[in-house]
Amino acid sequence: QVQLVESGGGLVQAGGSLRLSCVASGSIFSCNHMGWYRQAPGKQRELVADIPTSGPTYYAGSVKGRFTISRDNAKNTVYLQMNSLKPEDTAVYYCNAGIRPSGRDSYRNYWGQGTQVTVSS
């Protein structure tokens, strides 16, 4: 069974930094894209950043220049370094990945349970 587990959320003052981590575990054959979404209260879930196996990364305009996504393929781990945090970055952050489980022929989209990020002004 494949699972995504996030860590690294918390409370930080505006201007501060946090680093989120997400580890994919279980019977994994391969992992293509990995990314981060967020959902603030009363708002729709939005894509923050995504990193494919190869090719350019994607950043939402609101975080470009402040957030950096990276991955360690050997560890099936994706990171989100968040700098210059703003109160509007407050949300639950979800890890998302396209994973092909061992013994399967196709990729499936997986989600983590979410980690709270709160930025105080």
Side-chain angles (χ1 to χ4, degrees), residues 4 24 30-37 47 49-54 56 69 71 73 78 95-100 107-111:
L4 299 183
S30 65
C31 187
N32 52 23
H33 78 93
M34 301 186 83
W36 292 93
Y37 284 72
L47 177 60
D50 189 84
I51 182 167
T53 305
S54 61
I69 189 170
R71 63 189 285 176
N73 292 326
V78 62
C95 178
N96 174 264
I99 294 174
R100 178 181 169 185
Y107 285 85
R108 179 191 160 187
N109 210 27
Y110 288 86
W111 292 91

Side-chain angles (χ1 to χ4, degrees), residues 61-109:
S62 58
V63 308
K64 199 172 292 186
R66 300 187 297 122
F67 291 10
T68 302
I69 189 170
S70 60
R71 63 189 285 176
D72 183 334
N73 292 326
K75 297 180 179 179
N76 288 326
T77 301
V78 62
Y79 306 96
L80 186 67
Q81 178 66 43
M82 305 185 293
N83 298 329
S84 302
L85 282 161
K86 304 175 181 180
E88 50 263 44
D89 294 318
T90 295
V92 177
Y93 284 70
Y94 296 91
C95 178
N96 174 264
I99 294 174
R100 178 181 169 185
S102 299
R104 299 292 181 96
D105 294 331
S106 61
Y107 285 85
R108 179 191 160 187
N109 210 27

Side-chain angles (χ1 to χ4, degrees), residues 20-57:
L20 305 183
S21 300
C22 172
V23 180
S25 63
S27 299
I28 298 171
F29 179 80
S30 65
C31 187
N32 52 23
H33 78 93
M34 301 186 83
W36 292 93
Y37 284 72
R38 68 185 180 187
Q39 187 166 20
K43 294 188 176 181
Q44 288 189 329
R45 190 173 297 191
E46 63 172 351
L47 177 60
V48 176
D50 189 84
I51 182 167
T53 305
S54 61
T57 56

